[in-house]
Amino acid sequence: MTFLSGFIALVGPPNVGKSTLLNRILGKKIAIVSPKPQTTRNRITGIYHEKDCQMVFMDTPGIHKTQTPLHKSMVNSAQSAFKEVDLLVLMIEMLHPRPPEIPMILNYIRKSKKSSFLVINKIDKGPKEKLLPVIAAYNETHFFKSIIPISALTGDGVERLLGELKSMLSEGPAFFPADVQTDQTESFLVAEIIREKIFLHTRQELPYSSAVTVEHLEEVPKKKLVLITAKIHVESDSQKGILIGQGGKMIKHIGQAARQDLESFFGNHVFVELLVRVDKNWSRDPRTLRRLGY
Ligand code: GDP
Ligand code: MG
């Protein structure tokens, strides 16, 4: 029996549903999903296993046009993903089929010379009549091996997508053992879960000016307990004030929401301590960015 394997990049504008698809394929919450754009800053690798194949997915941060070092680092990470993989999957939304980033992304795909698929996501959000012209328009470009409509939310079309990807894989080794679903460290995943809660509970500029580092992560198996201390880095005292909230209400809220997800992630009780630290201009300083893992 031949074994098939390959690396697959999931690219596309922010908020189209890349993390949702990855989570559905892997059946576990690995990439964070948020109603706000630009939440996935780092690349998340998820590994999908079948008896006779292995697909290693990279979820890329949204590609878009901005100037700060943080955004540049996100765009670089997406571009380098194009070079490292065997197949590219571009995702768009059925109801917004022509986001402004598309020409730039198509250009990157063309340069990479990799086989690529177009996934049209969120088909649950409207009638079929909306879908057909989108398929027709992209078909005319003769750009993609295949165009696959899906709903990452309901799972519609996801089996077909996996089948089409599989058919394009080459013979190759299993890169990871069958029980490994991600190569991200636990503390990275913990930081992502906490960051997701900051996104969900705060507004305006705060989510984009905060970063999370996990300072301490200790499993205490005897007590079925996981102890976590994480630092939330913000850019100003006023942001710190907002994040902590009146009488500590906001940070408590975030901590509780994070704890619920972390408990299902670890399958144990979790104690989370959140510290808030002002790191002036962390998102503009390349050194701080490196330290925070961007
Ligand atoms: P990403 O930025 O591309 O990784 O997008 P996310 O996976 O974080 O999803 C952004 C938002 O779109 C979230 O609120 C998801 O719940 C929602 N979403 C993702 N896929 C679907 C889908 O197939 N249908 C609908 N209705 N919503 C979706
Ligand atoms: Mg994402």
Side-chain angles (χ1 to χ4, degrees):
M1 195 174 75
T2 53
F3 195 86
L4 305 170
S5 64
F7 285 77
I8 300 167
L10 203 51
V11 299
N15 228 24
V16 292
K18 299 180 294 297
S19 299
T20 306
L21 174 64
L22 200 54
N23 288 332
R24 169 158 292 276
I25 289 173
L26 302 175
K28 200 176 175 189
K29 198 165 183 178
I30 287 182
I32 64 169
V33 181
S34 154
K36 290 187 187 153
Q38 300 177 24
T39 38
T40 314
R41 283 181 197 152
N42 297 47
R43 262 192 285 156
I44 306 212
T45 306
I47 302 137
Y48 172 76
H49 307 267
E50 276 180 27
K51 268 201 322 293
D52 57 348
C53 85
Q54 184 171 86
M55 302 180 197
V56 184
F57 285 94
M58 341 266 275
D59 179 18
T60 65
I63 298 182
H64 45 92
K65 300 166 184 168
T66 37
Q67 296 310 325
T68 68
L70 172 60
H71 287 126
K72 276 198 189 125
S73 128
M74 291 168 66
V75 172
N76 284 343
S77 147
Q79 268 181 269
S80 68
F82 282 50
K83 297 195 189 112
E84 290 163 23
V85 297
D86 304 299
L87 302 176
L88 294 167
V89 176
L90 168 61
M91 184 184 272
I92 56 170
E93 283 184 49
M94 179 178 72
L95 297 180
H96 306 282
R98 279 265 155 204
E101 299 89 341
I102 285 293
M104 184 174 67
I105 296 178
L106 291 183
N107 198 24
Y108 290 152
I109 295 180
R110 192 175 294 121
K111 274 195 218 152
S112 77
K113 301 198 174 70
K114 302 281 163 78
S115 298
S116 57
F117 294 81
L118 180 71
V119 166
I120 304 172
N121 190 29
K122 307 197 188 181
I123 56 170
D124 59 289
K125 282 180 90 169
K128 257 222 165 68
E129 294 80 74
K130 297 271 182 201
L131 178 61
L132 299 177
V134 181
I135 296 180
Y138 276 96
N139 247 332
E140 259 174 34
T141 67
H142 298 291
F143 207 89
F144 299 99
K145 283 267 174 263
S146 176
I147 297 177
I148 304 152
I150 69 162
S151 167
L153 201 65
T154 67
D156 199 10
V158 174
E159 280 300 314
R160 180 182 156 213
L161 170 63
L162 287 171
E164 299 247 4
L165 291 173
K166 189 172 173 181
S167 75
M168 290 298 296
L169 292 178
S170 329
E171 201 172 333
F175 296 102
F176 296 91
D179 56 349
V180 175
Q181 281 201 314
T182 175
D183 72 346
Q184 297 290 346
T185 61
E186 274 186 347
S187 41
F188 173 80
L189 295 172
V190 167
E192 287 288 283
I193 289 172
I194 295 169
R195 212 154 56 75
E196 178 187 55
K197 300 312 169 195
I198 300 171
F199 267 89
L200 290 173
H201 291 279
T202 63
R203 258 168 253 275
Q204 291 151 8
E205 93 279 23
L206 188 54
Y208 304 108
S209 356
S210 59
V212 177
T213 52
V214 173
E215 309 290 313
H216 183 77
L217 196 161
E218 182 188 352
E219 299 190 45
V220 193
K222 270 193 199 142
K223 294 189 177 163
K224 286 184 158 290
L225 182 68
V226 182
L227 302 172
I228 293 167
T229 305
K231 243 183 217 164
I232 303 173
H233 306 255
V234 293
E235 290 182 328
S236 67
D237 289 322
S238 72
Q239 290 173 349
K240 181 174 175 174
I242 296 170
L243 195 56
I244 290 174
Q246 222 161 33
K249 221 168 153 182
M250 176 62 88
I251 195 74
K252 201 170 151 195
H253 222 60
I254 292 169
Q256 279 169 349
R259 182 170 54 81
Q260 284 186 355
D261 268 21
L262 290 165
E263 291 193 333
S264 71
F265 178 73
F266 284 102
N268 269 322
H269 297 298
V270 172
F271 179 82
V272 193
E273 181 185 24
L274 296 178
L275 312 169
V276 183
R277 186 187 142 163
V278 179
D279 240 342
K280 288 220 162 56
N281 290 323
W282 73 262
S283 78
R284 275 164 225 289
D285 174 5
R287 256 181 331 176
T288 314
L289 285 176
R290 261 200 305 283
R291 192 158 55 76
L292 292 169
Y294 292 111

